């Protein structure tokens, strides 16, 4: 016979209290790192892909973060630990007056050699049309990528931007351009 406050063959009596001793293993750790950064400079696009470099740790009202901060230098994002990381970005673009372009784009690129070489892993494209009769017009791109950081000392990420020509800009006003990095679990 099995006691009502013990572990049975198929269930645990949830109405009982249990005093565990030792180490419990095999349990998920949950999200243990979450950071948000924002773009600090309106940046003119070109038809050549360029690394966006104007990032600052988000400091908005009620902003939260978990864990050790990322290191971001000259647009190169270095991770504080190995693991499976979710990268998300939102780039907001504007064009002045009655201008329009066929495309603006943002990319996530990854390096495994400390930023010497980057490989494209995600791209988002949108057009920017004149709908506001001579006033500024806006559009956004969104990127997402799940990255396996197996070596935190050499893995880097970066966001690249480009446009059909030099008339559009990345918008930084009121934290309109952001990226997030969330560590989902162990590698």
């Amino acid at each position: 016979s099995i006691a009502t406050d013990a572990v049975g063959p198929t269930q645990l009596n949830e109405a009982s209290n249990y005093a565990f001793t030792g180490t419990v293993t095999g349990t998920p750790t949950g999200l243990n790192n979450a950071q948000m950064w924002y773009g600090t400079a309106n940046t003119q696009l070109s038809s050549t892909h360029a690394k966006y470099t104007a990032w600052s740790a988000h400091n908005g009202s009620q902003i939260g973060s978990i864990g050790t901060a990322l290191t971001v230098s000259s647009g190169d994002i270095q991770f504080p630990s190995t693991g499976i990381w979710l990268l998300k970005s939102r780039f907001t673009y504007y064009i002045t007056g009655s201008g329009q372009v066929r495309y603006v784009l943002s990319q996530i690129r990854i390096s495994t050699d400390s930023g010497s070489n980057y490989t494209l892993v995600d791209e988002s494209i949108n057009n920017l049309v004149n709908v506001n009769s001579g006033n500024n017009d806006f559009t956004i791109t969104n990127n997402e990528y799940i990255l396996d950081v197996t070596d935190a000392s050499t893995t880097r990420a970066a966001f690249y931007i480009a446009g059909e020509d030099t008339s559009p800009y990345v918008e930084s006003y009121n934290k309109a351009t952001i990226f997030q990095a969330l560590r989902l679990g162990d590698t």
Side-chain angles (χ1 to χ4, degrees):
S1 155
I2 297 175
T4 58
D5 63 345
V7 177
T10 59
Q11 66 183 0
L12 183 66
N13 183 343
E14 294 178 5
S16 297
N17 294 320
Y18 299 93
F20 291 100
T21 59
T23 303
V24 177
T25 61
T27 58
T29 59
L31 188 67
N32 57 20
N33 200 304
Q35 308 291 320
M36 181 177 267
W37 294 67
Y38 70 98
T40 61
N42 290 1
T43 303
Q44 190 170 15
L45 299 183
S46 75
S47 58
T48 303
H49 298 85
K51 189 185 302 178
Y52 186 77
T53 60
W55 296 113
S56 182
H58 205 298
N59 60 358
S61 176
Q62 298 298 109
I63 191 72
S65 66
I66 301 170
T68 304
L70 304 166
T71 301
V72 182
S73 177
S74 300
D76 292 326
I77 302 161
Q78 185 173 0
F79 301 89
S81 65
T82 61
I84 305 298
W85 289 80
L86 172 61
L87 298 175
K88 298 174 72 171
S89 71
R90 178 190 68 224
F91 277 85
T92 302
Y93 304 90
Y94 73 94
I95 196 165
T96 59
S98 58
Q100 60 185 20
V101 292
R102 289 181 304 132
Y103 70 89
V104 292
L105 65 84
S106 58
Q107 300 175 333
I108 298 175
R109 295 188 184 188
I110 303 300
S111 171
T112 57
D113 59 4
S114 302
S116 295
N117 297 287
Y118 277 94
T119 301
L120 172 66
V121 295
D122 186 75
E123 181 174 67
S124 179
I125 302 172
N126 208 341
N127 59 8
L128 188 49
V129 297
N130 176 26
V131 296
N132 205 8
S133 301
N135 295 313
N136 291 354
D137 289 288
F138 297 85
T139 194
I140 62 171
T141 59
N142 292 291
N143 297 88
E144 290 188 20
Y145 190 72
I146 296 176
L147 173 64
D148 186 357
V149 177
T150 57
D151 185 344
S153 67
T154 59
T155 302
R156 306 285 187 277
F159 295 96
Y160 282 71
I161 54 174
E164 180 182 21
D165 60 34
T166 61
S167 55
Y169 291 80
V170 169
E171 173 67 72
S172 67
Y173 177 73
N174 206 20
K175 298 176 174 66
T177 294
I178 58 103
F179 85 83
Q180 301 171 4
L182 308 169
R183 188 179 183 280
L184 303 177
D186 296 334
T187 184

